[in-house]
Amino acid sequence: MKFYSTNSKKFPVSLKQAVMMATAKDNGLFMPTKILPLPKKFFATIEKESFQEIGLEVANSLFKGSISRKDLKQIIEKSINFKCPLKKISNEKGAEIYTLELFHGPTLAFKDFGARFMAQLMSKFLKNSKQKLHILAATSGDTGSAVGKAFYNMPNIKVSLLYPGKMVSRIQEQQLTTIGKNIQAFEVKGNFDDCQKLVKTAFADQDLRKKLKTKNISLSSANSINIARLLPQSFYYFYAYAQLKKLHPDIKNSKIIISVPSGNLGNLTAGIIAKKMGLPITQFIAATNQNNSFTEFLKTGNYKPKNTIPTISNAMDVGNPNNFVRIQSLYGNKINEIKKDISSSSFTDIETKRAIKEIYEKNNYIMDPHGAVAYLGLKDYIKNNSSQKMIGIFLETAHPAKFADIVEAILKRKVELPTKLKNCLKKKKTAKKISTNYEVFERLLP
Ligand SMILES: *Cc1c(COP(=O)(O)O)cnc(C)c1O
């Protein structure tokens, strides 16, 4: 499989190049040149397969010719090794509602899927070479710990995580600064953009690159636009279907709707790729908070990036979603084609809080703010299309304990912290405090 840039299909690159470069030379994002439907017999018995077996079939199709099935199997066994349950929430008029819990990985957010797969793939590429990697990642919260944990203890790889001091939650800071070994945290006296700027300056610094080259080290990024983070996110859509099929042997006759809480639209893009591979999903919903450039685009046909507005579902506070170009590319820039597969609606913090309370009181289920936005998107769709019998799934992308301050204030009760989180809260924070001065930061790099 080769990978083309969303800006031009003319110069496709290998998987290794796409993964190591993260973005194309023309600043486009990489996409697989072919997305082929999986064979009918795969879907006929999908409910009998494990999550890892399903992931392997999907990966083998998306990466065909780039990496052996045996290597992919090892990568998946080491990265996609936590559960991903589909849970029934309620029966509503016209629909059954389920949630797919994507937060059972080491950092309790769905970004673990992509970060862990990418880390294992990069480590595979380094094997048997003298090459070493230094990964720089700026983070506004969740990405940093997912990336740090994913590369933890990997030979020949070091990671520097830069986060804005005082601007991430206490839990997020503990998660970022207690990983240890080859993972180093930098607490930057500034905001997320300052962190991003330090990373970008380092990437553009030819003297630094030269210095590192003498030690066989190359700089790399763990950016969320990396194709190796995007593609493994399609696995769990297939697994959701497999779990549904076990419960509904006659699933073929149902309309399946999946609502995705969306920020940079990576999760949604992975779902669309699953559909193009033959997964029978009737409709996707891009559920957004007040950062709704994509919702507005589907409504008006005009795409206008906006400044970000802070909300309680902060991992979705994105005014200019970077995977928008991938969605455009998948549909040949035809908005009417996009609209056939994707609907979108956006919600306020007040609505989100109300939904968290309502589902807890009615169904005894605690949603986090991101999952709650997805739930609202699903409910809205069901209300407007009630003539059909539907099965609706909303994706739960983070454990509610990660947003304990918000959720506890709404529900007026404690949210139990999972053991993984409790342990990390006990550890001692280790971070190098730095200013936004690049020269000082540069001297701290190897
Ligand atoms: C990153 C994130 C999202 C948004 O996902 P995109 O792929 O950027 O659309 C949603 N929920 C949580 C908890 C996240 O961390």
Side-chain angles (χ1 to χ4, degrees):
M1 182 70 70
K2 292 260 183 183
F3 295 83
Y4 72 86
S5 156
T6 49
N7 283 339
S8 156
K9 294 200 170 172
K10 274 195 199 134
F11 307 105
V13 302
S14 70
L15 176 63
K16 186 173 175 182
Q17 281 172 304
V19 171
M20 295 303 185
M21 286 161 65
T23 41
K25 283 205 181 96
D26 61 11
N27 290 324
L29 305 192
F30 290 115
M31 283 293 272
T33 45
K34 278 193 220 121
I35 298 173
L36 299 172
L38 291 167
K40 282 216 171 68
K41 68 173 196 293
F42 168 72
F43 292 105
T45 55
I46 192 170
E47 72 279 12
K48 300 197 178 84
E49 308 286 325
S50 70
F51 187 17
Q52 291 187 346
E53 285 163 341
I54 291 171
L56 180 58
E57 287 312 317
V58 176
N60 200 45
S61 176
L62 287 170
F63 295 108
K64 212 171 200 121
S66 298
I67 179 163
S68 73
R69 190 181 169 97
K70 189 170 142 260
D71 283 350
L72 272 177
K73 186 161 186 279
Q74 276 178 1
I75 290 171
I76 287 174
E77 279 166 2
K78 286 186 189 161
S79 58
I80 312 295
N81 50 4
F82 46 91
K83 62 185 177 155
C84 175
L86 183 79
K87 291 189 178 161
K88 176 107 179 239
I89 299 297
S90 63
N91 284 314
E92 311 225 342
K93 218 172 87 203
E96 283 175 48
I97 295 194
Y98 293 82
T99 185
L100 184 70
E101 290 185 348
L102 303 175
F103 56 70
H104 294 279
T107 70
L108 307 174
F110 89 102
K111 290 193 172 67
D112 283 326
F113 287 99
R116 289 168 70 76
F117 185 93
M118 179 180 68
Q120 292 296 337
L121 187 64
M122 283 183 166
S123 154
K124 195 66 112 191
F125 286 142
L126 284 191
K127 230 175 161 184
N128 304 324
S129 83
K130 290 205 183 78
Q131 190 66 34
K132 294 179 191 156
L133 277 189
H134 194 105
I135 291 172
L136 295 179
T139 177
S140 56
D142 282 345
T143 303
S145 53
V147 166
K149 274 279 195 189
F151 285 100
Y152 177 71
N153 220 2
M154 279 190 171
N156 297 327
I157 300 183
K158 285 213 170 98
V159 180
S160 295
L161 303 173
L162 289 79
Y163 72 96
K166 304 206 173 69
M167 291 178 83
V168 300
S169 77
R170 191 177 103 77
I171 289 177
Q172 285 174 327
E173 181 169 37
Q174 279 295 117
Q175 283 187 305
L176 277 168
T177 57
T178 58
I179 303 173
K181 287 213 169 145
N182 57 330
I183 316 299
Q184 155 108 70
F186 288 94
E187 180 179 350
V188 179
K189 211 172 170 181
N191 59 23
F192 173 66
D193 290 331
D194 295 319
C195 299
Q196 189 103 302
K197 205 167 151 201
L198 285 172
V199 169
K200 283 194 176 154
T201 314
F203 278 119
D205 182 349
Q206 293 307 323
D207 291 336
L208 174 67
R209 285 191 187 261
K210 260 185 227 148
K211 181 180 96 180
L212 294 178
K213 209 169 170 195
T214 61
K215 303 177 196 170
N216 275 328
I217 302 173
S218 47
L219 275 189
S220 193
S221 111
N223 206 308
S224 68
I225 52 191
N226 198 306
I227 190 76
R229 275 183 65 177
L230 181 81
L231 294 179
Q233 292 176 10
S234 60
F235 304 167
Y236 46 72
Y237 288 93
F238 289 89
Y239 184 52
Y241 178 74
Q243 294 180 75
L244 262 186
K245 202 172 166 217
K246 237 183 229 166
L247 301 169
H248 292 268
D250 61 342
I251 187 81
K252 272 210 177 113
N253 307 320
S254 309
K255 294 201 179 327
I256 304 173
I257 318 296
I258 299 187
S259 180
V260 186
S262 295
N264 270 317
L265 301 170
N267 206 353
L268 179 71
T269 305
I272 301 297
I273 289 173
K275 184 172 160 94
K276 301 232 175 229
M277 294 175 83
L279 189 68
I281 304 302
T282 308
Q283 189 80 22
F284 284 93
I285 298 157
T288 57
N289 60 27
Q290 287 304 286
N291 297 282
N292 57 4
S293 324
F294 187 69
T295 313
E296 292 291 309
F297 164 70
L298 288 190
K299 207 187 283 171
T300 64
N302 291 322
Y303 179 69
K304 277 201 224 108
K306 297 182 180 180
N307 291 330
T308 29
I309 304 165
T311 74
I312 57 168
S313 46
N314 60 11
M316 289 150 56
D317 294 350
V318 179
N320 187 11
N322 52 30
N323 286 293
F324 177 68
V325 291
R326 280 189 165 127
I327 292 185
Q328 288 273 60
S329 171
L330 280 167
Y331 292 95
N333 297 316
K334 294 193 186 83
I335 184 167
N336 287 332
E337 296 300 310
I338 299 179
K339 278 185 176 171
K340 280 184 198 157
D341 288 350
I342 310 172
S343 316
S344 184
S345 41
S346 84
F347 301 92
T348 63
D349 280 355
I350 292 173
E351 291 168 310
T352 308
K353 287 180 182 173
R354 212 184 285 143
I356 293 174
K357 190 158 189 274
E358 181 192 306
I359 289 299
Y360 175 65
E361 286 170 358
K362 270 201 341 221
N363 306 103
N364 200 26
Y365 186 78
I366 303 181
M367 299 190 291
D368 97 292
H370 305 79
V373 170
Y375 166 77
L376 285 167
L378 185 59
K379 226 178 120 175
D380 200 44
Y381 183 87
I382 293 167
K383 196 178 80 201
N384 296 328
N385 296 272
S386 56
S387 57
Q388 313 163 348
K389 172 105 185 79
M390 286 178 276
I391 292 179
I393 303 173
F394 67 92
L395 304 187
E396 243 305 1
T397 44
H399 192 292
K402 278 197 106 161
F403 300 90
D405 302 354
I406 297 161
V407 176
E408 288 179 351
I410 298 167
L411 301 184
K412 310 211 167 22
R413 58 157 276 180
K414 276 253 164 261
V415 177
E416 183 66 25
L417 289 180
T419 324
K420 284 174 220 168
L421 210 51
K422 263 190 215 155
N423 290 342
C424 124
L425 290 182
K426 281 186 220 144
K427 290 189 193 160
K428 192 173 169 304
K429 162 185 164 183
T430 317
K432 278 211 171 86
K433 284 195 184 183
I434 56 170
S435 70
T436 54
N437 183 315
Y438 175 70
E439 277 71 37
V440 177
F441 171 61
E442 194 263 341
R443 264 178 260 136
L444 295 170
L445 291 173

